[in-house]
């Protein structure tokens, strides 16, 4: 059996606009300035992104995250699924693949997003961040534990658009696919085994990598 672990933001869904609007809202409530470039905010664990991308002081991170999540949850349905993702997931399932979501997004919000957007039927397991950790190696460990029994012994492949996805895969000895349509700069795909340019390429790339 073949298994793919797929990132959520910037890979399955184009969550940038919802994420950016939630960040602007939270920063405004906190009286903090908006950074010139928010794109790097999509991908890293939220507490890290708050500090390194948005410039939130460490002592204010928890309060800003609370406002950010409240705004984000109110707009989950505004997030588009990337064109070609539903078709790719459908074909992979038809070919017998086990699919799972591994995201640094807070797991409660990730599950709600997946449900609202109608993606839940494609995935056998979902794992995200929590109050303890949202680091990608930790998230991948969680989702591996939740895979169905029939996936035991498989060699999962991680698909994501940021360096965190490649690093998380490497930490577990997994191969990885860089999703070039997402929010990560091209150079972050250098550590991946393969680059997929479009969601429409995902079935071919995963099938070839699984058979390599």
């Amino acid at each position: 059996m073949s298994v793919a672990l797929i990132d959520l933001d910037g890979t399955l869904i184009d969550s940038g606009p919802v994420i950016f609007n939630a960040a602007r809202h939270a920063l405004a409530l906190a009286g903090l300035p908006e950074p010139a470039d928010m794109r790097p905010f999509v991908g890293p664990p939220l507490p890290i992104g708050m500090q390194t991308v948005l410039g939130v002081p460490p002592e204010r991170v928890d309060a800003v995250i609370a406002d950010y999540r409240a705004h984000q949850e109110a707009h989950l349905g505004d997030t588009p699924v990337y064109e070609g993702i539903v078709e790719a997931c459908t074909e992979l399932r038809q070919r017998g693949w086990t699919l799972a979501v591994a995201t640094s997004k807070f797991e409660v919000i990730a599950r709600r997003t997946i449900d609202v957007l109608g993606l839940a039927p494609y995935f056998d397991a979902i794992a995200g961040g929590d109050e303890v950790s949202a680091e990608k190696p930790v998230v991948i460990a969680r989702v591996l534990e939740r895979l169905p029994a029939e996936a035991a012994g498989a060699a999962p492949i991680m698909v994501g658009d940021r360096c965190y996805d490649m690093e998380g895969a490497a930490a577990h000895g997994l191969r990885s696919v860089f999703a070039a349509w997402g929010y990560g700069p091209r150079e972050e795909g250098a550590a991946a085994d393969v680059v997929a340019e479009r969601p429409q390429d995902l079935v071919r790339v995963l099938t070839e990598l699984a058979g390599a």
Side-chain angles (χ1 to χ4, degrees), residues 79-104:
T79 309
V81 178
Y82 280 111
E83 183 178 353
I85 283 295
V86 169
E87 292 80 2
C89 289
T90 298
E91 185 170 349
L92 287 167
R93 292 301 300 245
Q94 290 172 344
R95 293 186 180 206
W97 280 70
T98 292
L99 304 181
V101 174
T103 174
S104 291

Side-chain angles (χ1 to χ4, degrees), residues 5-32:
L5 315 178
I6 309 178
D7 179 44
L8 184 60
D9 296 323
T11 303
L12 291 171
I13 61 176
D14 186 6
S15 49
V18 169
I19 287 174
F20 301 151
N21 287 337
R24 292 187 184 100
H25 173 78
L27 289 172
L29 289 179
L32 295 171

Side-chain angles (χ1 to χ4, degrees), residues 9 20 32-33 44 46 48 61 74 88 95-96 98 125 141 165 167 172 187 190 209 212:
D9 296 323
F20 301 151
L32 295 171
L46 193 52
I48 294 174
V61 165
R95 293 186 180 206
T98 292
D165 302 302
E167 292 165 359
H172 289 275
E187 56 268 24
L209 188 56

Side-chain angles (χ1 to χ4, degrees), residues 7 9 19 39-56 61-62 65 68-69 72 102-107 128-140 142 161-168 188:
D7 179 44
D9 296 323
I19 287 174
R39 285 183 65 87
F41 187 56
V42 181
L46 193 52
I48 294 174
M50 282 280 172
Q51 295 178 68
T52 62
V53 180
L54 301 188
V56 178
V61 165
D62 289 346
I65 284 178
Y68 166 86
R69 283 180 174 156
Q72 186 184 46
T103 174
S104 291
K105 185 188 286 292
F106 196 52
E107 186 170 315
D130 60 18
E131 300 297 352
V132 176
S133 178
E135 299 287 341
K136 210 56 180 255
V138 175
V139 169
I140 291 176
R142 289 175 184 151
D161 69 313
R162 296 300 311 273
C163 59
Y164 310 99
D165 302 302
M166 312 307 124
E167 292 165 359
E188 290 191 3

